Amino acid sequence: MSSEVLLVSAPGKVILHGEHAVVHGKVALAVAVNLRTFLRLQPHSNGKVCLDLPNIGIKRVWDVARLQLQDTSFLEQGDASAPTAELVEKLKEVAAFPKDCADPERAAVLAFLYLYLCICRKQRTLPSLDMRVWSELPTGAGLGSSAAYSVCVASALLTACEEIPNPLKDGEPASRWTVEDLELINKWAFQGERVIHGNPSGVDNAVSVWGGALRYQQGKISLLKRLPALRILLTNTKVPRSTKALVAGVRSRLLKFPEIVAPVLTSIDAISLECERMLGEMVAAPAPEHYLVLEELIDMNQHHLNALGVGHASLDQLCRVTMAHGLHSKLTGAGGGGCGITLLRPDLEQSVVEAVKQALSSCGFDCWETSIGAPGISVHAAASLDAPVRQALDGL
C-alpha cells in the first residue's frame, strides 16, 4: 500500500445530441463537461476507514478490524461479473446503515464499500485510509455525477493499492494514466455504477475516464479522436423528473404513431452524425460558419425532442431567454426539466454571457459557464488545484 496522499479528479458529462433516440438504436454523442469531482485519499495507520462526502452531508467510519472479520467471500466473483442484488444486500449488512439514511447516500456508501473491499482485498490486510470526495457537479441532474464519483474512487484505490502506478512525476501539475490502466479504472468504475444504478449503459463512466467525446450506439462505445474547444452554458432548471417515465412516454408515442415518430428518431440520428462530422472539421480550423451549423442542429434537435413529448415549460423558458440574446439552447439528457446546454460562440462578448447568466438565475435556474471535451480522470499535484477545491478537500 502506497503511503502518499492522492488527489484525483474526473469530469461530468452532457449528451450533445441523441438523447431518447439512443434507446431506439440511434447514435448519441456524449461529451465530458469541465465540472469535476475531486477526491483526496490519505493513507493512515489508525485502523479506521473514513468516507467523507460533504456535498451530501455523509461521513462514515468503519473499523478495519471489523471489516477484516466480515465474511466477504460473496465478493469472490467481484473481478468480472456484475454486482448482484444479493451481493448488494450483503454489502448493506457490512455498511450497517443508520435508520434515517436516504437512498442516494446509501448508494454512494455501498459503491465505495464494494470498490474498497474488492480492490483492497488483495492486500495482506485491508488498508486504513481517509477518503474525501467533493464535487462541482449537482447530483441527480443527469450530468454523470455518480459515474465521476465511481471513477475517482476506483482510480484512487487502484493507485493506492499499487495495482496501477501513479503517473504523476515530480514537478508536473497533473497527469493521466496509460490506456491499459485507464481500461482497468473504467472496468471497476462500471462495477461501482452498477452498484448505484443496477443496469447502467456504461456511457457515463466511459466519458469520465477517457474525457473528450464519444459516440454510443446499441451498446457500442467509440471515442472521437479529437474535439475542438467549445464553450457552453450549462443550466439546471432544478425541475425534477423521472427518466423512466419520460423514456416510457416516447416508447408509447412511437407505438401509437409509428409513421410520425420513427422518422423523428431517424432525423435525430442524422443530427448526431452531422454534428460529429462538423466537430471533426472544426478540429483543424474552426470557422464562424461551423458555429452557425452547430446552432441550427441544436434548434432542430430541440424541436424534435419537443415533438417526442420530453420538453417542459422550464426548458422552453431557457430557450426563450437565451434566444433573446441570440444564443441557441437544447435540453440535455432525459428532458422534462433537468438540464439544458447553450452554445457560446468564440466571438461572444463576455457582457452578453453575463447578461444571459443573470437572466437565467432570475428564472430560479442554476447556471455554469464551462467547456466541453474536458480531460478525463487525472491525478493532480496539490499546488495545481484552485484554492476553493483544496479547501473543500481539506475540510476547511
Side-chain angles (χ1 to χ4, degrees):
M1 175 82 183
S2 158
S3 59
E4 60 191 348
V5 174
L6 275 173
L7 297 167
V8 301
S9 79
K13 74 94 182 45
V14 294
I15 303 289
L16 209 49
H17 291 291
E19 49 276 272
H20 287 287
V22 72
V23 177
H24 303 277
K26 311 299 186 191
V27 168
L29 297 181
V31 293
V33 62
N34 211 15
L35 295 173
R36 301 183 78 86
T37 293
F38 296 87
L39 180 152
R40 175 175 177 271
L41 186 152
Q42 166 102 52
H44 274 302
S45 51
N46 63 358
K48 305 270 188 221
V49 178
C50 176
L51 176 67
D52 192 359
L53 308 174
N55 298 80
I56 56 174
I58 284 259
K59 188 165 188 179
R60 298 294 310 276
V61 182
W62 297 270
D63 276 321
V64 170
R66 195 180 78 75
L67 291 177
Q68 198 83 46
L69 289 172
Q70 293 277 347
D71 173 16
T72 55
S73 58
F74 64 89
L75 294 171
E76 290 297 340
Q77 86 288 20
D79 260 14
S81 59
T84 59
E86 182 189 9
L87 182 148
V88 172
E89 285 308 310
K90 287 189 169 151
L91 273 179
K92 285 179 184 169
E93 290 168 28
V94 176
F97 286 116
K99 288 274 185 285
D100 59 349
C101 193
D103 283 348
E105 300 167 6
R106 284 175 185 251
V109 171
L110 290 175
F112 165 76
L113 271 180
Y114 175 78
L115 292 169
Y116 171 79
L117 293 170
C118 284
I119 291 169
C120 301
R121 60 206 284 275
K122 292 177 185 161
Q123 307 287 307
R124 203 174 61 249
T125 56
L126 288 171
S128 302
L129 54 88
D130 274 2
M131 185 179 282
R132 187 175 172 92
V133 187
W134 176 81
S135 188
E136 298 170 330
L137 290 160
T139 54
L143 300 175
S145 61
S146 68
Y149 169 75
S150 291
V151 168
C152 283
V153 172
S155 64
L157 290 172
L158 287 165
T159 306
C161 291
E162 299 176 327
E163 293 278 321
I164 55 176
N166 183 341
L168 191 67
K169 306 281 182 285
D170 281 349
E172 283 183 336
S175 186
R176 288 180 38 75
W177 285 267
T178 63
V179 167
E180 197 181 349
D181 293 342
L182 289 171
E183 280 168 354
L184 186 64
I185 292 169
N186 193 43
K187 187 190 96 168
W188 279 112
F190 183 51
Q191 302 295 46
E193 274 280 84
R194 283 171 139 170
V195 171
I196 295 171
H197 291 298
N199 187 26
S201 67
V203 169
D204 288 14
N205 49 281
V207 173
S208 199
V209 167
W210 301 105
L214 56 81
R215 67 181 288 179
Y216 177 79
Q217 187 174 24
Q218 293 179 324
K220 187 170 177 294
I221 294 171
S222 48
L223 299 177
L224 303 196
K225 290 290 180 281
R226 286 178 59 208
L227 203 63
L230 292 179
R231 287 165 57 232
I232 62 161
L233 279 184
L234 176 62
T235 303
N236 185 2
T237 65
K238 298 193 278 196
V239 173
R241 73 271 180 268
S242 157
T243 300
K244 202 186 226 165
L246 289 156
V247 169
V250 174
R251 190 176 296 285
S252 71
R253 195 169 274 199
L254 176 61
L255 291 170
K256 189 175 175 185
F257 305 111
E259 301 291 313
I260 299 169
V261 176
V264 174
L265 296 172
T266 303
S267 180
I268 290 175
D269 192 49
I271 288 172
S272 298
L273 296 173
E274 179 60 19
C275 179
E276 184 181 348
R277 194 183 70 76
M278 199 49 47
L279 293 174
E281 271 188 23
M282 290 174 76
V283 170
E289 51 270 26
H290 287 135
Y291 285 92
L292 294 175
V293 173
L294 291 182
E295 288 177 338
E296 274 190 271
L297 295 176
I298 283 171
D299 290 345
M300 288 190 285
N301 199 353
Q302 179 60 18
H303 287 302
H304 282 341
L305 289 160
N306 278 329
L308 292 178
V310 296
H312 188 271
S314 61
L315 293 163
D316 295 341
Q317 190 177 14
L318 161 66
C319 292
R320 275 199 310 275
V321 167
T322 55
M323 185 53 82
H325 293 84
L327 302 180
H328 300 255
S329 307
K330 67 176 280 291
L331 67 84
T332 179
C339 291
I341 50 174
T342 307
L343 183 64
L344 300 177
R345 296 183 302 275
D347 61 348
L348 204 59
E349 302 274 339
Q350 192 56 34
S351 59
V352 176
V353 178
E354 292 308 322
V356 173
K357 282 161 69 175
Q358 188 65 52
L360 291 169
S361 295
S362 63
C363 298
F365 303 157
D366 286 342
C367 197
W368 299 269
E369 187 180 344
T370 184
S371 59
I372 58 176
I377 180 74
S378 306
V379 58
H380 302 271
S384 72
L385 295 177
D386 292 343
V389 174
R390 281 208 308 273
Q391 286 168 359
L393 290 177
D394 290 340
L396 301 176

